[in-house]
Amino acid sequence: ERGGGGARGRVLCTGGAPLAPVVLGVDPDLNGALAVVDAPLWDPEAQVLRAAAPRLYDLPTFTEQVGKLQRRRHDPERVAAILAELELPAGSSAFLEKPRNFPTDGKHSWYGSGFGFGVWWAALASAGVRVQVVPPAQWKRDVGLYGKQFTKDDSRARAAELYPDAEAMLRRKKDHGRAEALLLAAWGCGYRRPLAAAAPAEGGAEEEAVAG
């Protein structure tokens, strides 16, 4: 059933039209998102990410019958349509998070994460974007958000700090997918923050040990 994602898939925060190569960050989870930032640069001395307002797109999904259950899936057609509408300039790059599965995960979880990852990679490659697959542990260590002491709240707080224009779109706990897409884009632009310089947000102890 197409359209099962409701408002997901629409643009949430809009910057100017891209005139030069852009950087994309993709959290490929079902509650993930696409972030598009226009030629930003990390200034390590000023500790500022110099960038125009980012554009955010929630993942478009549809539902399908699997046994007795309805399951959400990534919508390949609508993902491709989003990328086509962006008219991405030549030389644009995408930083796509690699799925992390565990032996204890069920077969539906393995299938769903692999399916979604494949949808994003194929769509990005078809759009002429250079794709770099990034393990979650790698970028989270580099931005100082890896470890049991960090939660999804910390990802949202860090993304809002780096991209104040997107702060209104990161206020809910379920907006962590948007935050991680923004952080992946920031990582792709060279943003690094040593672990010693990062501190977890207050509260959120009930959240997952590692955001993502």
Side-chain angles (χ1 to χ4, degrees):
E1 178 186 349
R2 288 297 195 271
R8 302 187 70 80
R10 62 187 174 88
V11 62
L12 299 166
C13 182
T14 306
L19 299 176
V22 297
V23 175
L24 298 85
V26 182
D27 178 345
D29 293 344
L30 270 174
N31 294 315
L34 166 70
V36 184
V37 294
D38 299 336
L41 293 173
W42 169 243
D43 185 337
E45 294 185 2
Q47 291 289 295
V48 170
L49 190 71
R50 302 190 182 283
R55 283 160 288 161
L56 281 169
Y57 300 81
D58 282 329
L59 172 72
T61 64
F62 70 97
T63 58
E64 69 173 354
Q65 186 79 26
V66 180
K68 296 181 179 180
L69 300 176
Q70 291 284 329
R71 294 189 178 273
R72 288 173 61 214
R73 300 287 188 223
H74 297 59
D75 190 323
E77 295 177 4
R78 290 164 66 195
V79 167
I82 289 172
L83 295 174
E85 290 171 4
L86 285 171
E87 298 182 346
L88 297 167
S92 296
S93 300
F95 295 86
L96 173 62
E97 186 178 67
K98 183 179 181 179
R100 182 183 58 178
N101 293 98
F102 300 96
T104 53
D105 292 340
K107 60 183 180 182
H108 292 297
S109 175
W110 280 82
Y111 175 85
S113 63
F115 178 86
F117 179 71
V119 165
W120 274 116
W121 197 345
L124 290 164
S126 296
V129 177
R130 293 176 298 188
V131 180
Q132 180 175 336
V133 176
V134 187
Q138 180 180 353
W139 73 264
K140 288 177 181 177
R141 282 195 182 99
D142 287 344
V143 304
L145 289 174
Y146 186 80
K148 293 182 179 180
Q149 71 271 38
F150 294 104
T151 71
K152 294 176 179 179
D153 288 340
D154 295 296
S155 294
R156 292 189 297 112
R158 183 68 58 78
E161 174 186 332
L162 289 172
Y163 300 98
D165 289 327
E167 189 275 334
M169 310 312 302
L170 301 171
R171 292 176 179 171
R172 302 170 302 174
K173 286 185 178 291
K174 68 178 183 179
D175 294 334
H176 67 273
R178 301 173 183 174
E180 298 213 340
L182 286 167
L183 291 171
L184 278 156
W187 183 90
C189 296
Y191 169 68
R192 301 293 185 271
R193 183 171 180 176
L195 185 59
E202 295 183 2
E206 76 283 359
E207 296 286 322
E208 295 180 10
V210 178

